[in-house]
């Protein structure tokens, strides 16, 4: 279970990462990237973010682009939270496919 400090930092990182992705996806019409969950290690050195991508068909392509520009995203995150955090955590991104899973379950239940 996460402590209160970790939970606050996760919420802050989720908010800032969402703002970064919103600014980046403005250049790509028809694509929406949202940060669904952020977890941080107890020593605050590793941040794991789950991303939801719309349309989901382009999820792998967008995840590869995000992972390629991970250092740039970390730098921008650092400029946004430099007054709240001493060390900017290493970022790891994963696709959150829970919405696709829910759609499949709905389709099976309708049959």
């Amino acid at each position: 279970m996460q402590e209160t400090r970790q939970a606050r930092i996760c919420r802050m990182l989720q908010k800032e990462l969402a703002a970064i992705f919103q600014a980046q996806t403005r250049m790509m019409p028809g694509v929406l990237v949202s940060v669904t969950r952020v977890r941080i290690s107890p020593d605050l050195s590793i941040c794991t973010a789950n991303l939801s991508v719309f349309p989901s068909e382009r999820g792998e392509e967008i995840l590869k682009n995000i992972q390629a520009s991970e250092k740039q995203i970390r730098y921008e995150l650092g400029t946004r939270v430099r007054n709240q955090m001493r060390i900017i955590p290493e970022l790891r991104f994963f696709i959150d496919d829970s919405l696709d899973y829910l759609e499949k379950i709905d389709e099976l239940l309708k049959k």
Side-chain angles (χ1 to χ4, degrees):
M1 186 171 167
Q2 289 187 340
E3 296 179 15
T4 306
R5 180 171 183 240
Q6 283 178 301
R8 282 194 322 231
I9 290 174
C10 285
R11 283 192 303 270
M12 177 186 63
L13 291 176
Q14 182 176 6
K15 177 183 167 194
E16 295 300 333
L17 284 172
I20 291 169
F21 289 133
Q22 183 180 17
Q24 285 184 351
T25 56
R26 281 192 183 127
M27 295 177 265
M28 301 168 57
V31 175
L32 178 66
V33 177
S34 59
V35 183
T36 56
R37 180 193 295 173
V38 172
R39 298 255 186 210
I40 195 155
S41 63
D43 62 350
L44 306 179
S45 65
I46 299 173
C47 173
T48 304
N50 290 354
L51 306 175
S52 178
V53 179
F54 179 80
S56 59
E57 295 84 32
R58 296 186 61 191
E60 292 298 322
E61 170 195 348
I62 291 174
L63 181 63
K64 286 180 184 177
N65 291 340
I66 288 172
Q67 289 174 340
S69 63
E70 187 175 313
K71 290 182 181 182
Q72 179 185 2
I73 295 169
R74 184 176 180 202
Y75 174 78
E76 185 158 346
L77 181 67
T79 60
R80 290 173 179 250
V81 299
R82 67 176 171 236
N83 296 328
Q84 288 93 5
M85 296 184 73
R86 188 178 327 149
I87 297 173
I88 305 306
E90 176 185 332
L91 299 175
R92 296 183 182 165
F93 298 105
F94 297 98
I95 292 290
D96 183 13
D97 58 352
S98 60
L99 292 177
D100 295 334
Y101 182 70
L102 289 174
E103 282 183 26
K104 289 178 184 176
I105 290 176
D106 283 341
E107 283 181 21
L108 291 173
L109 290 174
K110 287 180 182 179
K111 289 183 181 180

